[in-house]
Every structure is written in C-alpha cells, then in structure tokens.
Amino acid sequence: MLKFGELVTAEVPVFIHFYAQWNDNSTTMEPVIHDVAAALGDQLRIVKIDVEKNPELVDALRIKIVPTMMLYRNGAMIWRQSGVMDANSLINVTKTL
C-alpha cells in the first residue's frame, strides 16, 4: 500500500473515508460511498481506511469520530467532515471544491 503522503498527491482528487467495522454509522456509509464512486468514476479516487488498523495515522490526523471523510487535492486537505452524509451531498462537495 502507498504511504499516506504519496496517496494524497495523486493527480485526481482523493476522497478518504475513515471507518470502523464495529461502527453502525460507518456501515451506513458503505452504500453512500459506493454511489459516490459510481457517480464520479475516474474524477475521484476513493480510499477507505480502517481506523483500527491504522492507529498512528488516526492519531496524526486527530480523527476522533467515525466515519470521518477528507478530500485532498494536490496533497492538501481541502475538506473534512465527520458523521453520516448522503451521496448527493458528498458528490456536490467534490464538485464544488
């Protein structure tokens, strides 16, 4: 797997979904993330990161709530949100930033 710094400097915007298997809200977001991926195709790279398997990254990014979603463009975080969102809202966020 790529290191986080290499991952977020991709040519296309990178949407990162931090989740936990045990969290109901994370489970609720699964079909939403799938819909976003289907709607945006190659315009956006979607990466899911399990907080339990990546504690150092979670600490470094100060993630306290799952799900937490971040959008990176050219290596810079341009958006961050914690909690459940619907697919249309996420698609709008990626298109307006």
Side-chain angles (χ1 to χ4, degrees), residues 60-74:
L61 294 174
R62 296 184 176 132
I63 295 173
K64 305 291 183 203
I65 298 171
V66 288
T68 291
M69 296 152 290
M70 297 177 180
L71 185 61
Y72 282 81
R73 181 175 289 137
N74 298 322

Side-chain angles (χ1 to χ4, degrees), residues 74-87:
N74 298 322
M77 184 191 320
I78 58 172
W79 177 83
R80 178 178 175 149
Q81 177 72 40
S82 295
V84 175
M85 292 181 70
D86 63 84

